[in-house]
């Protein structure tokens, strides 16, 4: 059975009577990349802070690695929303210090920290002070700081903020590699393209409540329009079961009514229509996010 790395059950967190997290339940399994999404103020950071034992829940239950929050800090890595490393310390020094705090002996921590600096292309900055690094470089350093003690569960709040496209690629590669090593990653971000590229399952929170939860591909399938995209060099006539046809260059978006994509494909083959590309249309996660959050507003 897949191991639960995180279990949140009916979590309620209030600030002076305002309910920021409202009966929220979700689970994160070993080895997955889990996306925690939601509009500004939805309650993501509050939920994460409860998991990290910064706040106590008002109601409900949270279990991290099968134990109450705060029990096993060495096995968790956390990149908080608010950034801030010791600005006057030197880059390598900071990493070694943080690793030691999490129980890694200095002789192990030092080469490991150097190897990570190498990986994120900061090794030439090892002896410089943190405050001399650019914002993006500090971001990469903080990312490394959250995992230098080799945690099993990584909680990353907006890890890509302020990174250029090359460093975003670097970060994506590292997260995939960590997953390849069996680590579990909880990723909170507003960048939906990154969620689509990385996440296995997602939770979308709105007003402190879960509004979408499950495997990303399943959610995308559920919200898919009943349409296909077809690339063909020929003009298209009316086709049975096609209610609407939109054309952009040589690609058609065909809205289906009463037939499956397979049945349409069969018709195309029967009519000798050359098919250069054929795919079932999906909606970008960004559109699903906006639609679901707007729906919540109207309700
Ligand atoms: P963002 O995407 O903007 O970071 P978020 O989903 O992380 O948002 P939270 O920071 O968890 O949202 O905030 C949830 C709600 O709780 C917001 O309405 C916020 O104003 C409120 N809130 C958060 N922290 C506090 C606090 N310390 N005291 C009072 N209210 C708070």
């Amino acid at each position: 059975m897949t191991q639960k790395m995180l279990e949140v059950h009916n979590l309620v967190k209030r600030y002076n009577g305002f309910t920021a997290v409202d009966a929220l339940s979700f689970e994160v399994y070993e080895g997955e990349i889990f996306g925690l999404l939601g509009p500004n103020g939805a309650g993501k950071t509050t939920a994460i802070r409860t998991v990290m034992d910064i706040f106590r829940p008002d109601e409900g239950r949270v279990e991290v690695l099968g134990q109450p929050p705060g029990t096993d800090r060495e096995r968790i890595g956390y990149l908080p929303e608010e950034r801030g490393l010791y600005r006057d310390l030197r880059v390598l020094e900071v990493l070694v210090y943080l690793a030691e705090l999490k129980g890694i002996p200095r002789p192990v921590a030092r080469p490991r920290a150097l190897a990570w600096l190498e990986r994120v292309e900061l090794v030439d900055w090892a002896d410089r002070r943190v405050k001399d690094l650019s914002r993006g470089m500090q971001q990469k350093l903080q990312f490394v700081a959250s995992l230098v003690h080799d945690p099993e569960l990584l909680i990353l709040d907006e890890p890509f903020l302020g990174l250029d496209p090359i460093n975003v690629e670097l970060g994506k590669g590292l997260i995939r590699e960590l997953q390849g090593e069996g680590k579990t990653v909880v990723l909170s971000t507003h960048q939906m393209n990154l969620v689509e590229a990385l996440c296995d399952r997602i939770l979308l929170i709105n007003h402190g409540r879960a509004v979408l939860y499950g495997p990303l591909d399943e959610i995308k399938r559920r919200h898919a329009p009943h349409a296909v995209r077809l690339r063909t060099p020929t003009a298209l006539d009316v086709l049975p079961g096609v209610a609407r046809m939109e054309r952009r260059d040589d690609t058609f978006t065909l809205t289906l009514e009463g037939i499956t994509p397979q049945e349409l494909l069969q018709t195309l083959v029967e009519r000798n229509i050359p098919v250069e590309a054929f795919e079932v249309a999906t909606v970008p996660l960004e559109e699903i996010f906006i639609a679901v959050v707007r729906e919540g507003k109207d309700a």
Side-chain angles (χ1 to χ4, degrees), residues 39-57:
N40 295 129
K44 305 177 296 291
T45 301
T46 303
I48 289 176
R49 287 183 178 155
T50 316
V51 167
M52 292 310 300
D53 198 34
I54 298 167
F55 295 145
R56 286 280 148 82

Side-chain angles (χ1 to χ4, degrees), residues 121-159:
E121 296 161 3
L122 282 179
V123 76
D124 293 343
W125 296 78
D127 295 321
R128 301 286 291 272
R129 291 188 197 282
V130 172
K131 65 181 175 197
D132 295 336
L133 266 57
S134 76
R135 196 160 60 101
M137 289 158 91
Q138 289 192 28
Q139 171 79 359
K140 287 201 286 182
L141 177 61
Q142 192 142 9
F143 179 75
V144 168
S146 69
L147 51 82
V148 70
H149 58 292
D150 200 26
E152 291 161 51
L153 172 65
L154 256 172
I155 299 180
L156 307 173
D157 205 345
E158 287 286 2

